[in-house]
Amino acid sequence: QSHDVIFLELAHFLFLKPSVLDLKETQKLLPPLDQTLREYLRALEPLLPPDEFQHTQNKVLKFGQSGGLGPRLQDGLLRRARTSNNWLSDWWVQHAYLESRQPLPVHSNPAISLPQRDHCDWRGQLLFASKLIAAVLDFRAKVNTGQLPVEYMRGEPLCTQLFPLLFSSCRIPGPKHDYISHHALSRRSPTHITVVRNYQFFQLEVYNSDGSRMTESQIHGQLLRIRAASWKTDKEPMGLLTSEHRRTWGQAYKRLLRDKVNKDSVRAIEQGLFTLCLDSPVMRISDENRMAAQVLHGGGTFSNSGNRWFDKTLQFIVGEDGSWGLLYEQATAEGPPIATLLDHVLDYCQKPDPKRSPLVPLPMPRKLYFLIDKDIKRDIEHAKQNLDILINDLDVNVFNFRRFGKDLPKQHGLSPNAFIQVALQLSYYRVHGEVCPACDMVSLRMFRGGRTEFIRSPTRQTLDFIQAFDDPREAKLQLFREAVDVYSALTDRALRGQGLDRHLLGLKLQAIEEGLSIPKVFMDTAYGLATHWRLRTGQVPSNTDSVMCFGPLVPDGYAVCYNPQADHVHFSVTAFNCCEETDAETLARSLKHTLGQLQELLQPPSATAAA
């Protein structure tokens, strides 16, 4: 099958398939102004003392009054919604990702660590890596030919537009903001991946000259050649440059690309379908904390961090010790499409190799060379120091909570996600003596081109429950149910495009677009307080025992990811060591204790014994 045919099929799929689906129009992503302002005040109430709340309420009411600034900005958003495919997504990607100047590792790129494989040497590593590459190429073929099954959530079809963009895409650093380079839709779509081992990058063609995909055994033979050509470990870790502060990396990027050899090598990495990182073994023990950290940042400059190109949308990591996972850059896609890809990979990896290999000689994988002058050498040394500081500052605590899973809340008519969110607020309260602003990301893929929305917590009902935790059981149980149900209702609203966070962001950006000063409601201290996300949370609805992991959004915060399975829940908790008030292990301990108590609240020991 020629690449031009593949391109035409891809174009047909990308531009026609979503319109065949009955996707929601993005005008419906724009809630009424008065509804959003009402919900905003409701979200502030548990976080502010009464006098501050009154002060903010006055500002919000003034902003929303007829003839005021709020309705004017809302009209601007309505015009934008009528004339664009999605009024929100481009703004969101620009604001949340591309304008951020923080380093991508820890701060932005999420990692998904998967159950350890049973291999423990390089031979098993390369056999599994060959299977993994074949699995990802199989997923891509299904995307390109429109054979990927349509996904549904709550009976609604989900948008598929992001899937083709996962491949041959890369974030490019810039002085004030980054941009995303997409090559999958070019006339000659790339046919190679990049493989990195011992800090050395290789361009590996994964399609035969007739356009067919290489078989697992063909790929395996090529990986053996790469291993033989990369045994030296004295190479400069070029990939570390991508771990820097974005402005710093942008300046180094310009210096790097002055040389033609460097430019060709960088372009090969950026245009590759995805990157495979073949990591050296770290320790001969199975340690979930270490495995998650390895996927997240590579373990440091004396470990595997040089085996990364953090700007790349998809990086699959396979260690000699059986550890493996996926690191992804979020500007192209957030978690849900990635979870679909991983589920396909895991299913494929259960099957035997379906194809026999043609007996044709294959070209040697192309080693990518870099010419390193004293300026670039200095850039690499600075990147080493900064990344090691960042990695040493991050505390990672991964655990598997085995007392119950998502079946328990379901048996009591409660949403598992809302159950865990209320538990997180109670756990935080027990450690810090107060509730805190928390964000939980949900998908907007019911809408064409939809990305994500935040659900805010705590709610008033969650605070009431927390403060009544020492009360008699019946009263407490009722308050708990109310807190969980209110959070479920917020989730339902957010999924249907009626959340408040992206709408508030849109109003703020519309003011900037119109050349107006930022409205006072967004300069208010309450707005800053309520968006200082001390709890960054995320659910990974995966069919396997994977653990997702990323760093906190603020220096004095936590990040908590969870993957609820039927009878257990995987958690990862991260915090920065530089903050004396936060400690990942302490919050994890509080969370385990809290979940146990909530189980007893729903199923008192006496009732369980009687049953």
Side-chain angles (χ1 to χ4, degrees):
Q1 191 179 27
S2 77
H3 302 308
D4 286 349
V5 172
I6 287 177
F7 170 77
L8 289 171
E9 285 174 341
L10 174 55
H12 176 267
F13 172 69
L14 182 58
F15 300 116
L16 298 186
K17 185 80 177 276
S19 60
V20 173
L21 299 179
D22 185 23
L23 292 173
K24 292 178 180 294
E25 293 304 322
T26 53
Q27 281 97 319
K28 294 174 186 171
L29 258 176
L30 196 55
L33 178 65
D34 59 342
Q35 174 184 303
T36 292
L37 297 181
R38 195 167 57 245
E39 290 301 319
Y40 175 52
L41 288 172
R42 207 169 279 166
L44 290 178
E45 198 183 349
L47 298 169
L48 298 177
D51 55 334
E52 283 185 39
F53 180 77
Q54 187 62 52
H55 173 77
T56 296
Q57 187 176 36
N58 293 338
K59 283 190 175 180
V60 171
L61 292 174
K62 185 178 180 185
F63 175 75
Q65 69 189 17
S66 179
L69 184 54
R72 172 183 167 176
L73 297 176
Q74 178 78 351
D75 287 344
L77 289 181
L78 283 166
R79 284 193 302 275
R80 182 179 168 90
R82 280 193 293 269
T83 56
S84 62
N85 187 34
N86 186 305
W87 72 266
L88 170 61
S89 288
D90 288 349
W91 264 356
W92 167 247
V93 170
Q94 191 72 21
H95 171 81
Y97 303 123
L98 302 181
E99 289 178 1
S100 169
R101 304 288 77 199
Q102 284 190 304
L104 294 186
V106 174
H107 293 294
S108 183
N109 289 7
I112 301 178
S113 174
L114 287 129
Q116 190 163 9
R117 307 293 301 187
D118 53 11
H119 67 258
C120 57
D121 63 6
W122 65 266
R123 291 177 182 83
Q125 176 192 33
L126 297 191
L127 281 169
F128 174 64
S130 309
K131 188 100 183 165
L132 175 61
I133 292 169
V136 180
L137 295 178
D138 187 66
F139 180 84
R140 179 174 182 257
K142 285 186 165 40
V143 169
N144 287 358
T145 54
Q147 293 178 331
L148 205 63
V150 175
E151 296 172 280
Y152 289 85
M153 181 168 27
R154 305 192 178 196
E156 300 281 358
L158 301 182
C159 181
T160 56
Q161 286 184 2
L162 292 181
F163 287 119
L165 305 180
L166 294 174
F167 300 99
S168 294
S169 58
C170 194
R171 184 159 160 175
I172 311 294
K176 292 184 178 174
H177 61 82
D178 297 354
Y179 66 95
I180 311 168
S181 165
H182 288 297
H183 301 278
L185 301 183
S186 58
R187 191 72 192 156
R188 289 194 59 79
S189 180
T191 55
H192 72 275
I193 67 169
T194 44
V195 179
V196 54
R197 180 176 180 271
N198 283 340
Y199 312 157
Q200 295 156 75
F201 287 83
F202 294 81
Q203 178 176 333
L204 172 60
E205 292 294 329
V206 288
Y207 290 86
N208 292 302
S209 54
D210 63 355
S212 62
R213 305 198 306 270
M214 282 190 182
T215 64
E216 285 173 41
S217 57
Q218 283 181 304
I219 294 166
H220 182 247
Q222 295 293 72
L223 292 182
L224 286 170
R225 295 167 101 176
I226 286 173
R227 184 177 188 274
S230 61
W231 61 271
K232 285 187 177 176
T233 57
D234 60 351
K235 304 299 179 186
E236 287 289 350
M238 297 301 299
L240 288 183
L241 292 173
T242 66
S243 71
E244 275 281 33
H245 183 279
R246 300 309 291 172
R247 187 166 180 272
T248 306
W249 166 219
Q251 292 165 338
Y253 184 83
K254 285 172 73 174
R255 283 192 287 274
L256 188 64
L257 264 59
R258 283 183 201 142
D259 178 86
K260 187 182 183 305
V261 171
N262 294 345
K263 188 172 185 176
D264 286 349
S265 295
V266 170
R267 290 287 182 261
I269 296 168
E270 290 170 352
Q271 293 173 12
L273 295 166
F274 55 89
T275 295
L276 171 73
C277 312
L278 294 173
D279 278 7
S280 303
V282 183
M283 281 183 261
R284 295 285 176 190
I285 55 167
S286 175
D287 174 354
E288 280 198 293
N289 292 350
R290 178 192 62 76
M291 282 168 58
Q294 273 293 313
V295 180
L296 182 63
H297 50 57
T301 60
F302 291 100
S303 188
N304 290 297
S305 294
N307 280 357
R308 305 284 184 273
W309 196 267
F310 288 103
D311 293 0
K312 195 71 186 144
T313 302
L314 294 177
Q315 294 191 93
F316 292 91
I317 291 109
V318 180
E320 267 189 46
D321 53 7
S323 60
W324 76 290
L326 169 62
L327 183 68
Y328 65 97
E329 200 288 304
Q330 294 187 97
T332 295
E334 286 99 357
I338 303 293
T340 304
L341 163 62
L342 272 181
D343 285 342
H344 181 88
V345 166
L346 289 159
D347 286 345
Y348 187 98
C349 286
Q350 303 299 323
K351 301 169 187 169
D353 183 1
K355 296 193 196 78
R356 293 183 60 175
S357 291
L359 295 171
V360 289
L362 296 171
M364 183 73 185
R366 181 168 82 97
K367 188 166 187 173
L368 302 178
Y369 289 95
F370 292 93
L371 293 176
I372 298 167
D373 61 22
K374 65 179 193 316
D375 289 339
I376 293 169
K377 172 76 175 158
R378 187 196 64 230
D379 292 335
I380 293 171
E381 290 307 311
H382 286 165
K384 284 181 181 178
Q385 293 167 16
N386 292 335
L387 183 59
D388 280 342
I389 289 168
L390 177 59
I391 287 172
N392 290 331
D393 192 26
L394 187 74
D395 187 16
V396 180
N397 190 291
V398 175
F399 66 93
N400 189 357
F401 182 80
R402 296 183 181 277
R403 281 183 61 173
F404 63 85
K406 61 185 175 186
D407 284 357
L408 174 75
K410 284 181 176 178
Q411 287 161 10
H412 293 267
L414 299 170
S415 152
N417 186 57
F419 179 101
I420 291 171
Q421 285 290 329
V422 174
L424 281 171
Q425 283 289 343
L426 178 54
S427 305
Y428 184 95
Y429 184 88
R430 287 173 155 171
V431 174
H432 295 281
E434 60 181 1
V435 290
C436 72
C439 58
D440 177 22
M441 197 176 269
V442 295
S443 175
L444 290 178
R445 284 179 62 211
M446 285 184 192
F447 296 87
R448 188 171 284 108
R451 296 295 291 258
T452 62
E453 172 64 282
F454 280 167
I455 309 166
R456 292 187 180 208
S457 64
T459 61
R460 176 79 248 171
Q461 290 79 2
T462 297
L463 183 59
D464 289 345
F465 163 66
I466 288 170
Q467 291 173 337
F469 200 77
D470 294 329
D471 289 1
R473 178 180 175 271
E474 283 309 316
K476 185 166 55 179
L477 180 58
Q478 182 58 33
L479 288 171
F480 178 59
R481 284 189 169 280
E482 285 173 14
V484 173
D485 288 346
V486 165
Y487 195 91
S488 297
L490 288 177
T491 305
D492 190 61
R493 270 211 292 274
L495 287 168
R496 300 190 182 282
Q498 299 296 299
L500 69 95
D501 251 84
R502 302 297 183 261
H503 189 193
L504 289 175
L505 174 67
L507 292 165
K508 183 180 175 182
L509 295 178
Q510 183 64 29
I512 295 167
E513 185 106 330
E514 293 185 22
L516 304 171
S517 55
I518 293 174
K520 288 177 182 171
V521 72
F522 301 117
M523 304 301 285
D524 185 27
T525 52
Y527 184 79
L529 171 86
T531 51
H532 185 81
W533 308 113
R534 288 214 172 129
L535 264 179
R536 175 191 189 185
T537 73
Q539 178 183 197
V540 195
S542 172
N543 296 333
T544 187
D545 282 331
S546 58
V547 178
M548 191 165 172
C549 187
F550 42 57
L553 286 172
V554 294
D556 57 344
Y558 299 92
V560 182
C561 294
Y562 46 96
N563 177 3
Q565 299 294 303
D567 60 356
H568 62 277
V569 187
H570 281 280
F571 285 96
S572 76
V573 182
T574 61
F576 290 118
N577 293 318
C578 65
C579 177
E580 291 181 8
E581 286 85 47
T582 58
D583 181 78
E585 189 178 347
T586 304
L587 186 67
R589 210 165 37 238
S590 175
L591 182 54
K592 290 175 201 173
H593 179 61
T594 297
L595 289 168
Q597 286 190 304
L598 293 178
Q599 180 186 21
E600 288 170 11
L601 181 63
L602 292 176
Q603 297 177 326
S606 56
T608 310

